[in-house]
């Protein structure tokens, strides 16, 4: 009897070891329905950027699918999707870091040069005054490169050099709170590039490096941050229009 059992097992093993076209269906552990289900769930996880879950279902798919092309495509999509996700995360972090650095640079620059803005740059250019204006009744401006990627611009009224404006464009939105203790002069909605609207604020800085200055900030990405004095606002019609709620 025992010999018969051993013979039966041997026959079964040999049958499952036969070529796929000749092996009985019961010897094939793959399941087409479970294969498609696992591929579907793996791609849903991939779309949600849940790469850990996608890899778990990928492992299960390998136990159920016979089509190597489908499995290979899934592997490539998981690897590519994860790499793209990490690249986006790095870009987000880089923009955050650069924004913080630019705000710090602006604060330090204003604090260092507000008392003598004419000495802030060796490349200051002043407009020719329009007669009968006096020789110092004119706007002067200059720019400073920051990290080779950004530009800090300054502008002032030559006759009253306390009339100062500083502008820089960080990649991320800036709030009044990012500039220090403040009071909000006004806040309103302005059109954004994607058809929506975003808030713009006019604030007065009351403490820190920018104390005594005012600023216009926006919740939009790549929007200019403008820091200026009250004397400047009195003289620049363009800035008054920008700082006026619509």
């Amino acid at each position: 009897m025992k010999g018969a059992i051993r013979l039966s097992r041997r026959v079964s093993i040999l049958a499952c070891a036969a070529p796929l076209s000749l092996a009985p269906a019961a010897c094939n552990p793959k399941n087409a329905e479970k294969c498609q289900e696992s591929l579907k769930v793996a791609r849903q996880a991939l779309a949600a950027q849940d790469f850990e879950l996608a890899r778990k279902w990928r492992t299960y798919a390998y136990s159920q699918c016979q089509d190597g092309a489908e499995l290979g495509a899934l592997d490539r999509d998981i690897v590519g999707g994860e790499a793209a996700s990490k690249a986006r995360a790095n870009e987000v972090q880089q923009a955050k870091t650069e924004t913080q650095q630019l705000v710090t640079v602006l604060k330090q620059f204003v604090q260092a040069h507000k008392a003598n803005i004419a000495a802030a740059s060796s490349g200051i250019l002043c407009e020719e005054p329009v007669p009968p204006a006096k020789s110092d009744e004119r706007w002067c401006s200059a720019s400073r490169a920051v990290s080779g990627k950004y530009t800090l611009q300054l502008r002032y009224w030559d006759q009253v050099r306390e009339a100062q404006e500083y502008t820089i464009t960080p990649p991320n939105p800036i709030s009044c709170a990012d500039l220090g203790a403040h009071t909000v002069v006004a806040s309103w909605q302005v059109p954004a590039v994607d058809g929506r609207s975003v808030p713009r604020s006019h604030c007065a800085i009351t403490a820190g490096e920018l104390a005594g200055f005012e600023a216009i900030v926006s919740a939009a990405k790549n929007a200019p941050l403008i820091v200026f004095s009250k004397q400047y606002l009195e003289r620049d019609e363009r800035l008054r229009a920008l700082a006026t709620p619509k």
Side-chain angles (χ1 to χ4, degrees), residues 6 8 18 46 53 73 77 80 105 123 125 133 152 173 211 217 227 231:
R6 285 196 297 269
S8 175
L46 188 58
L53 182 60
D77 289 344
V105 166
L125 300 175
L152 190 158
V217 300
V227 173
Q231 297 94 325

Side-chain angles (χ1 to χ4, degrees), residues 27-99:
C27 298
N28 186 4
K30 309 293 184 179
N31 185 299
E33 183 177 348
K34 291 181 178 180
C35 167
Q36 293 306 312
E37 179 184 0
S38 59
L39 289 173
K40 178 181 178 180
V41 177
R43 292 199 173 279
Q44 288 174 341
L46 188 58
Q49 297 190 37
D50 188 339
F51 300 105
E52 182 179 357
L53 182 60
R55 283 193 295 271
K56 288 180 179 178
W57 278 97
R58 172 263 185 201
T59 299
Y60 182 67
Y62 263 75
S63 70
Q64 300 298 329
C65 301
Q66 296 190 48
D67 190 341
E70 280 189 309
L71 296 170
L74 178 61
D75 281 344
R76 289 191 295 272
D77 289 344
I78 290 175
V79 172
E82 195 162 20
S85 178
K86 289 179 179 179
R88 287 192 296 270
N90 289 338
E91 289 177 0
V92 169
Q93 182 57 49
Q94 182 178 355
K96 180 179 179 181
T97 300
E98 290 180 355
T99 297

Side-chain angles (χ1 to χ4, degrees), residues 131-194:
K134 298 178 181 179
S135 61
D136 60 353
E137 293 181 326
R138 59 185 182 173
W139 290 108
C140 298
S141 60
S143 61
R144 283 282 191 91
V146 181
S147 302
K149 185 176 180 180
Y150 300 96
T151 301
L152 190 158
Q153 298 173 318
L154 63 94
R155 192 169 185 252
Y156 65 91
W157 184 247
D158 198 18
Q159 189 179 50
V160 182
R161 293 182 178 177
E162 291 78 14
Q164 306 171 5
E165 178 192 64
Y166 304 85
T167 305
I168 200 163
T169 304
N172 281 356
I174 293 292
S175 69
C176 293
D178 293 324
L179 305 179
H182 65 280
T183 58
V184 176
V185 178
S187 186
W188 63 101
Q189 295 289 320
V190 295
V193 293
D194 58 2

